[in-house]
Amino acid sequence: MDPQRLSDYQSSYDRIAEEYANRISGELDHKPLDRMLLDEFAARVKGAGRVCDLGCGPGHVARYLHDRGVDIFGMDLSPGMLEQARKRNPAMEFRHGNMLTLDVRDRAWAAIVAFYSIVHIPKTDILQAFREMFRVLEPGGLLFLAFHIGIEVLHEENCWGHQVSLDLVFFGWLALLSRTRSSASPMRRKSSTKAGEPTSARASQFEDNALPKPPEAMALHNPGSHM
Ligand SMILES: C[S@@+](CC[C@H](N)C(=O)[O-])C[C@H]1O[C@@H](n2cnc3c(N)ncnc32)[C@H](O)[C@@H]1O
């Protein structure tokens, strides 16, 4: 990924970190579907080993899982976001890191949760992000991704009155899955759309790198106030 773009992302999130935390940290209170999926995730990874909230922002997803007994820490590109995460969750660990080049040994983590952080990875680099996730996951490790459904790439120069330079990449979930499957990674799809859910710009789904299993969890929901 172009270093200038990475630096733009970092400084953009540093600039909006406090406001983002104020606006978004409490969002799970109003998202029963997300809570249900996170509860399911927590039940599956509790006691399994270390779990990373990758692109954790202010850390509310990590906190939710921590409160349910998951051995989780957060990782983010933006020092400003990490400052917010640490301030709001002083008992938890938050580290600096870039999901495209994780400074982590192979097979170190039991699971990864990444809510709306791959949305800043260009389509040309998304396979690299998945390769890194796969490399650092234990065999059979679980990946819980949330992202925006679509095909477009939006460019934002202003967020809540702050100057930013952020690309917001939407992914077609079928295309994304076929990319992960056609890569070196043996990650397998085990998800299906839920009839009756609104068509939307956001999706959450479970993946793991174990053998293929029956369809399990796929959720579509409205964009809400997330970027
Ligand atoms: C839309 S926010 C999502 C934050 C949080 N996961 C949530 O659900 O609110 C995207 C986050 O991804 C982080 N991010 C962007 N690119 C990243 C990268 N290459 N590696 C790690 N984190 C990254 C940003 O700093 C930001 O905190």
Side-chain angles (χ1 to χ4, degrees):
M1 182 170 169
D2 171 23
Q4 182 58 50
R5 191 188 293 197
L6 202 63
S7 161
D8 286 346
Y9 285 168
Q10 181 175 314
S11 55
S12 295
Y13 272 106
D14 284 348
R15 229 168 281 137
I16 63 171
E18 186 168 5
E19 183 139 16
Y20 188 101
N22 288 337
R23 287 176 183 255
I24 304 290
S25 289
E27 66 164 357
L28 290 175
D29 293 348
H30 316 291
K31 292 188 162 181
L33 181 59
D34 290 39
R35 292 200 307 274
M36 185 193 76
L37 290 168
L38 287 167
D39 288 346
E40 161 76 11
F41 181 75
R44 292 176 60 168
V45 301
K46 190 175 163 181
R50 289 233 90 185
V51 176
C52 178
D53 179 356
L54 194 52
C56 62
H60 57 294
V61 170
R63 173 62 177 272
Y64 185 88
L65 293 166
H66 170 85
D67 290 349
R68 278 147 191 82
V70 176
D71 179 12
I72 191 164
F73 66 96
M75 183 175 278
D76 202 279
L77 184 68
S78 154
M81 281 294 203
L82 290 168
E83 188 185 331
Q84 291 298 320
R86 290 182 186 120
K87 197 164 91 182
R88 285 156 195 267
N89 309 284
M92 294 178 60
E93 180 190 350
F94 293 95
R95 299 184 204 162
H96 185 257
N98 173 7
M99 72 174 81
L100 290 167
T101 53
L102 290 169
D103 187 12
V104 178
R105 68 173 169 82
D106 296 359
R107 303 178 168 202
W109 299 341
I112 297 171
V113 57
F115 266 36
Y116 309 103
S117 47
I118 64 164
V119 304
H120 297 305
I121 303 297
K123 290 183 196 216
T124 47
D125 292 308
I126 194 66
L127 276 184
Q128 173 62 19
F130 285 135
R131 275 192 206 104
E132 277 295 85
M133 292 183 203
F134 180 71
R135 181 183 66 76
V136 302
L137 275 176
E138 290 171 1
L142 205 59
L143 170 62
F144 184 3
L145 279 181
F147 54 92
H148 300 261
I149 294 271
I151 53 168
E152 60 270 51
V153 178
L154 302 180
H155 183 72
E156 297 288 347
E157 290 283 337
N158 185 300
C159 179
W160 303 314
H162 301 274
Q163 194 191 342
V164 296
S165 179
L166 289 171
D167 282 346
L168 190 56
V169 184
F170 290 55
F171 292 98
W173 68 275
L174 277 174
L176 197 60
L177 290 172
S178 67
R179 278 176 187 234
T180 62
R181 299 180 90 179
S182 62
S183 75
S185 159
M187 285 198 296
R188 293 287 188 268
R189 176 165 69 93
K190 56 173 192 175
S191 53
S192 64
T193 50
K194 274 189 179 172
E197 292 284 357
T199 50
S200 117
R202 291 174 67 128
S204 314
Q205 67 189 69
F206 290 95
E207 291 287 332
D208 78 22
N209 58 8
L211 293 172
K213 293 185 185 139
E216 187 157 297
M218 173 78 187
L220 304 180
H221 51 109
N222 286 320
S225 53
H226 257 84
M227 302 215 33

